[in-house]
Structures are given as C-alpha cells and as structure tokens.
Amino acid sequence: MHEFRYVNGELNCEQVPIRSLVEKYGTPLYVYSQKTFSDHFKKLDQALGALDHQICYALKANSNLAVLRTLVNAGSGFDIVSEGELRRVIAAGGNPKLCVFAGVGKTAREIEFALKKGIYSFNVESEAELVRINQIAGKLGKKAPIAIRVNPNIDAHTHAKITTGTYANKFGIAFEEIESIYARAAKLKNLKLRGLQMHIGSQLTEVEPFEQAVKKVLPLATRLAPKYNLEFFSIGGGLGIIYDNALASGSSDWWQKPEAKNLLNPEKYAATLVPLLKPLSLKILIEPGRFISGNSGVLVTRVEYVKQTGKKNFVIVDAAMNDLIRPAFYDSFHQIIPLRKSKAKEISSDVVGPICESGDFFAKDRMLPKVGEGDFLALLSAGAYGFVMASNYNSRGLAAEVLVNGNKGAVVRERQNLDDIWSSERIPKWLIA
Ligand SMILES: *Cc1c(COP(=O)(O)O)cnc(C)c1O
C-alpha cells in the first residue's frame, strides 16, 4: 500500500496535490511520501515480530538524508556499501552500531573508517577481504566484527542484472566452502565472528526462492552458530514490489484482491520464513531496500512535445534516462499516469526523454490517454533505484526531491544548479596561455 491516489481528479501524495509541488519546484521532480516509507517499515517489522530481529534498510535504494531520518525515527538500522553511505547514515542521525557493511570491493580506507565508527558487522565476500580486515583491525588495536556471505547457489528467477545468489555471480563465498572459511577466520585474532549472511537477489516476487535459500543454509547456520558463538543470521533483502499495477496497489484492500493472491507480501514472507528461522535462536537481520522505498516515490515530468511519426506517437518529456535509468538499464516497467485524471481517448504512445540515445525512454507502445504540451505525467514506483542512479549525462542538472508528510511538503534536495555540474573541473594552464 502507498499514499499516491487521485483526489477530486488530481494525483495526491498523502494530502498534497502533486500539481502544487510542481508549480513551486518545477520538473523533473521526485516526490516522496514519508508515511509510505514508515508504513512499509512497520509492516515488515510487525510481520517479523515473533523473531528477535533488526531491519537494516539498504540505503543504496534511496539514500536521501530525509528518507534516512524517517527510517532512523522508525528504528531502522542500515545496510551500507561504501564509506559515503556510512557518512550519510551518520549525517542523518543514524547509529553506526546498527550498520552492516556489504560489497565485494571494500577498500582499506573504507574498512578503517567503518571500524573506527564501530559498525555492527562487515559482511565479508572473500577470503582476501577477511585477511585485509584482520590486518587493519590489528593496526587499530580493534577486533573487527564479521559475518561471511554465503552464496547458496539458488536462482532467484529475477532480472539478470539483479540476481546475486548463484555461482555465476561475483557475490559471496560458495556454500560448500563456508565451513572451512569460518575455521580459517576463527584463527585470525583481530576478528570477531558475529554472524552469517546471504542475499540472493532483488525484486523477488515469489516467496519460494527465499524459502529454498533459507532451507538450504539453515543446517549450516545451526552448525556454525554454537561453534563460533554467532549472534545473527542475515537473510538479505530482495523483496519485490508491484510495478505494473502500482496505482491500484495503493488501495488498502489490494492484498486481498485476486490478482495479488500470488504476489509476495510481508505476511506471506513472514508466514513462510519465521517458523523456519525461529528455532535457530539467532538475531535475524533483513536488508530490504526496494520494498521500503520503491512505491514511496514518483518522478513527475512535463510533456514538452508530442510528435507523430508515420508509425508512432512520441510523447517527449523533460525527464530523461539520467534522472531515472531503470527502463534503459533493466528493461523495467513504470506505470505512467497524468497528474490530472484524464478521460481522453487512450492511444499507443512512446514516452521518451530528450537525450540522444535510443535507450532514453520510459515506455514503449503504451496505451496512455492523449496528452499535450504542458501536461504533467507521474512515473510511479520511482522511489527505489531512481534518484540514486541519476547522473549529469548531457550536462543535465540533478532533479529536486520533495518529501511530503500529511498536508506539508518540503524540498529535501535542491535542484542542482547547472554551474555546479562543472564546478570541480579545471582547465590546465597550458591550454589557456
Ligand atoms: C542491494 C542489496 C540489498 C537490497 O536489495 P533490495 O532488492 O533493494 O531489497 C540488500 N542486501 C544486499 C547485500 C544488497 O546488495
């Protein structure tokens, strides 16, 4: 469920008509619902209530400071993948002691910074990384808390660019090697073995792959936990969201509808996994990113031109792949609706941005109500892997972001000034003389 719906024919975020935000702050504009972030967090938190657990929001999905603060206030920890992300968490008022550090390429500098800040665990992805963390911890006179990421070799049946849990992926350590790696890690004296971790992929819309992975790794966790005095088992993130009927999924009874019967939701996730995990008596961590932020944001764009070629109706908008790269990168689907509910005849349209790339599109051959110059469109479910993947390609400034809470809205990131795009670039003297 989310907080984007039509009220008197105008698309609202919570109680704010999005048009009023667009008139004030311009387009392209990301608009986020604070209530949706915290509701999604709470839903998952409650569903896991029977377990000793901690949600560590994966901030790579959406790391705006205001979003992080919303989740800090809800009690979230964080899954970080860089020093920058840890600094963001701290800047937002989050607690490093609730942070886990993931990723295959942690640099010495990043490890040192995270150790000094006292993070909860490094989720280690190779033996070389174990050795490096041990060495840096020794230098600092600290014990580094670690978990090893097990690759369970389970196919998550998701898009190739977001599947992580098979041996064809760069992530984790093979299931069969885990016990010997723990034995070796236990001999490194500057490490504290704290947990076991896995993450099999993103945008999973069925519970079965999670169930398979947990069932496969559970006996391993059961053996390792007493042997090394482990505290936690992290089952990763990856819970998928609804993209293709995103507007409907905002209604409170959506989960009960027949078309949603087979979709993953927190209740089903918990009903399947909690009974498996409960007997383990470890703290259970989960690292959802998309589930919390995906349906919490939209990207609003203005129609600049409508162009009919012999074959197609092109709707050319002022947002582009530099603002939201998901369609180009993952072939992903975003539902597109006008800010003002339209009764106009639907026609097959391609919604495209102004960038000189054929990949710069948001929808192809999509039935959309006829629109014209100056109309506004909302791309739904843009709260995860949206703004965070934005770039300055074509020297386009980064979009502004607005957070709505009830009947209030605030800019939580200013639109980037164009001068700022090249402000750190330099022309060497020899070119000027
Ligand atoms: C990306 C990632 C997540 C979050 O994935 P979502 O699909 O957004 O829930 C969690 N854990 C790890 C290790 C990740 O790399």
Side-chain angles (χ1 to χ4, degrees), residues 41 45 53-56 69-78 98:
F41 179 91
D45 206 32
H53 71 280
Q54 175 66 50
I55 298 178
C56 292
R69 186 52 180 249
T70 300
L71 294 166
V72 167
N73 292 351
S76 190
F78 297 94
L98 296 179

Side-chain angles (χ1 to χ4, degrees), residues 58 60 79 102 149 197 199 201-203 237-239 287-290 385:
K60 71 174 190 274
D79 176 81
R149 177 169 178 175
Q197 198 264 352
H199 171 72
S202 195
Q203 183 53 16
L239 286 94
E287 305 158 358
R290 189 191 313 269
Y385 307 105

